[in-house]
Amino acid sequence: MLCTVQDFGRRGWFHSGVGVAGAADRGSFALANRLVGNDESAAAIECLIGGLRLETTGPVVMSVTGAPAPITVDGRREAHASVLYLRAGQRLDLGHAAAGMRSYLAVRGGIDVAPVLGSRSRDTLAGIGPEPLRAGDELPVGAAPRGWPTVAVAPVAALTGEPVLARVRLGPRDDWFTRAADLCAGQWQVSTDTDRVGVRLDRVGDGPALVRVDATELPTEGVALGAIQIPPSGQPVVFLADHPITGGYPVVGTVLDADVDLLAQARPGQRVRFRMWAP
């Protein structure tokens, strides 16, 4: 459906109106790189749902993490989050993941496409960085690092369709709502209108709506990764990797950085519950 090259993003360009982008599930991305002996920031492929087929033109070392799409090499089933050694001319296929949204495929040496503003990440909102992958594309691989994989398989927690529990800290505009804490009452559901920019949520059942104190316009202000913005529809949007750096709708709270990766793997229809957090 959508495969892009990602690294840890292009930091330091907010003053020019350019966001960070980078891998949506940073933990899974970093693990894929560690498994093949790369630096954690080496460019890799982020694949939405699955359905990717690659053929090697030389010997390579690969790993697939994140959403557990079935992996085969020349038709032979391989383990998720394991180190894969492929010869020239072999074919790796990713099936479609039954849970989770994004798989990460790392290759030893990293994907060596040309960087843009210091990063090889595709920013789908700004339209900068390498184009999404298409059939027939050939990806260059960088020089192999000196270190070698230290494990054959990494134990990882299984992704499921169970409700995602995300910790949230209210603010900075929680006073723009009559009862901001209602964000944590009941459950929300991931909308089909969700992408790398943000996760849009619909209220489940009879949970209370988030009601604005008034309809005053909010001056444009900066927004962060994990910020929960409330547009006029009342449907919260949790910002992910490709989020804009400013916004004009009030931010009722922010998801803790440690829980953003979980939301990046939440599929349409999956339930989400917010829990109040305080230091």
Side-chain angles (χ1 to χ4, degrees):
M1 294 179 66
L2 177 68
C3 290
T4 58
V5 175
Q6 299 292 340
D7 54 21
F8 271 148
R10 50 184 60 80
R11 302 178 184 277
W13 290 96
F14 279 8
H15 65 286
S16 298
V18 178
V20 174
D25 177 354
R26 298 156 297 171
S28 296
F29 168 83
L31 176 60
N33 272 318
R34 290 200 303 272
L35 281 167
V36 297
N38 287 343
D39 183 90
E40 289 186 353
S41 62
I45 298 173
E46 179 181 278
C47 182
L48 185 68
I49 303 297
L52 173 66
R53 172 175 292 174
L54 297 175
E55 184 174 321
T56 61
T57 58
V60 295
V61 182
M62 293 181 174
S63 181
V64 181
T65 61
I71 307 164
T72 60
V73 174
D74 287 348
R76 183 186 70 248
R77 188 69 178 264
E78 299 288 353
H80 183 72
S82 67
V83 182
L84 309 173
Y85 296 87
L86 280 72
R87 301 183 305 275
Q90 288 196 287
R91 192 177 71 196
L92 181 145
D93 286 279
L94 286 186
H96 293 90
M101 280 281 280
R102 296 173 171 90
S103 298
Y104 293 89
L105 187 149
V107 57
R108 183 173 168 78
I111 304 298
D112 195 23
V113 294
V116 176
L117 299 179
S119 170
R120 294 178 170 87
S121 285
R122 175 67 179 181
D123 185 328
T124 60
L125 180 65
I128 62 175
E131 292 292 326
L133 302 188
R134 297 175 298 177
D137 284 351
E138 185 168 330
L139 295 174
V141 176
R146 296 184 64 181
W148 275 91
T150 56
V151 298
V153 180
V156 293
L159 291 171
T160 70
E162 295 296 317
V164 173
L165 182 61
R167 294 167 293 177
V168 62
R169 187 171 185 179
L170 292 182
R173 298 299 178 186
D174 51 312
D175 58 345
W176 281 54
F177 299 87
T178 56
R179 294 183 305 276
D182 284 348
L183 178 72
C184 301
Q187 296 188 76
W188 301 89
Q189 180 173 281
V190 178
S191 165
T192 55
D193 185 15
T194 187
D195 54 22
R196 281 182 46 86
V197 176
V199 177
R200 189 177 297 274
L201 301 172
D202 299 321
R203 176 61 87 179
V204 176
D206 298 326
L210 290 169
V211 179
R212 287 271 297 267
V213 172
D214 56 48
T216 305
E217 291 292 325
L218 176 70
T220 298
E221 59 186 7
V223 290
L225 179 71
I228 307 170
Q229 194 178 72
I230 310 297
S233 67
Q235 294 174 277
V237 178
V238 184
F239 282 144
L240 297 181
D242 289 354
H243 70 85
I245 65 172
T246 61
Y249 299 132
V251 171
V252 68
T254 303
V255 173
L256 264 62
D257 187 77
D259 292 347
V260 171
D261 286 357
L262 293 174
L263 284 171
Q265 292 288 6
R267 301 179 80 146
Q270 193 166 353
R271 303 291 177 90
V272 174
R273 295 186 64 184
F274 292 112
R275 185 178 71 187
M276 202 78 69
W277 180 88

